[in-house]
Amino acid sequence: GHTELISSLAMSADGRRIVSGSDDRTARVWDAATGQEQFALKGHAASVAAVAISPDGRRIATGANDMTARVWDAATGRELLAFRGHTS
């Protein structure tokens, strides 16, 4: 799925999903049992440096070198929030 270096990984608390962040400016959600990609989280303008999954598995957070953090719906991949304003 990714076309460049993977820089971050997180596994859901129930062990069913893995999220990976990459220098290709995407985060991808994977089925941990099959290895199949479920969907890609697209919207960052630079490398995704950090990913996290909420304890209840309903949200995914990403942080990128475009100085934004974003929150996504883990079931659909829809962006819910974008935090802008970081300077470093």
Side-chain angles (χ1 to χ4, degrees), residues 1 16-18 28-39:
R16 293 184 180 178
R17 288 186 171 165
I18 295 172
R28 296 179 187 266
V29 180
W30 308 87
D31 182 298
T34 66
Q36 294 296 310
E37 181 180 327
Q38 295 180 328
F39 48 82

Side-chain angles (χ1 to χ4, degrees), residues 5-73:
L5 176 76
I6 295 170
S7 57
S8 55
L9 290 171
M11 181 173 274
S12 63
D14 64 8
R16 293 184 180 178
R17 288 186 171 165
I18 295 172
V19 178
S20 55
S22 172
D23 285 356
D24 67 7
R25 303 183 325 228
T26 69
R28 296 179 187 266
V29 180
W30 308 87
D31 182 298
T34 66
Q36 294 296 310
E37 181 180 327
Q38 295 180 328
F39 48 82
L41 306 174
K42 298 178 181 178
H44 285 292
S47 301
V48 177
V51 297
I53 304 171
S54 64
D56 64 7
R58 297 179 60 197
R59 304 286 183 259
I60 296 168
T62 56
N65 291 329
D66 61 4
M67 305 206 201
T68 65
R70 296 173 190 264
V71 178
W72 313 80
D73 183 291

